[in-house]
Amino acid sequence: SPGPVKEQFTLNFTITNLRFTTDLETPNSAKFNSTEKIMQHYIASLLQKSSIGPYFTGCKVIGFRSGRNRDDTGVDAVCSYKNNVSLARFDREKVYHELSVMTNGVTKLGHYSLEKNSLYVDG
């Protein structure tokens, strides 16, 4: 039988205390690279504590975008996990609920503040 298959899901949220600037929009700019590393750290630490944790293989921030307010920055990431028989199936609602709880009702991610209704998990 084949081994685990690598699957992906997207994760999106908006940070309300990270001012969006055009250099955040530019991959490989110093601001993009440093912010990407910070976001990947925060996202990975959350997902490793979730039900997907044992299967989690990493996330890549694919972009930052301007939020509704000028000071907001949207974060778009693609995350991967190994899908195998011990993981019944990816349950995006369960992962969303776990991330919501771990971010204090989608309000805090480390020292960043989150827009309350901005978390989106898509399997």
Side-chain angles (χ1 to χ4, degrees):
S1 91
V5 176
K6 191 172 179 185
E7 301 281 351
Q8 295 183 322
F9 63 98
T10 57
L11 186 63
N12 313 91
F13 53 91
T14 300
I15 299 171
T16 59
N17 62 338
L18 176 63
R19 178 176 278 249
F20 180 79
T21 57
T22 54
D23 52 346
L24 268 176
E25 203 172 34
T26 309
N28 297 320
S29 70
K31 179 91 173 194
F32 180 98
N33 289 342
S34 64
T35 308
E36 174 189 36
K37 281 182 185 148
I38 293 165
M39 288 302 121
Q40 286 179 184
H41 166 76
Y42 282 133
I43 294 167
S45 67
L46 285 177
L47 288 171
Q48 287 166 344
K49 296 174 195 165
S50 76
S51 60
I52 197 90
Y55 314 101
F56 175 71
T57 59
C59 285
K60 171 115 178 89
V61 173
I62 56 171
F64 297 103
R65 59 190 149 66
S66 177
R68 276 180 258 192
N69 299 317
R70 192 176 63 169
D71 291 340
D72 297 355
T73 298
V75 179
D76 301 319
V78 175
C79 302
S80 302
Y81 63 97
K82 291 182 196 141
N83 191 2
N84 62 23
V85 290
S86 53
L87 179 66
R89 68 175 182 81
F90 178 75
D91 186 340
R92 73 185 184 99
E93 289 179 19
K94 182 177 183 180
V95 172
Y96 171 89
H97 177 73
E98 291 169 345
L99 295 180
S100 177
V101 169
M102 289 188 274
T103 57
N104 298 327
V106 192
T107 60
K108 280 296 217 190
L109 181 64
H111 63 274
Y112 292 103
S113 298
L114 300 177
E115 184 179 294
K116 183 147 180 61
N117 296 314
S118 69
L119 179 64
Y120 183 70
V121 177
D122 186 20

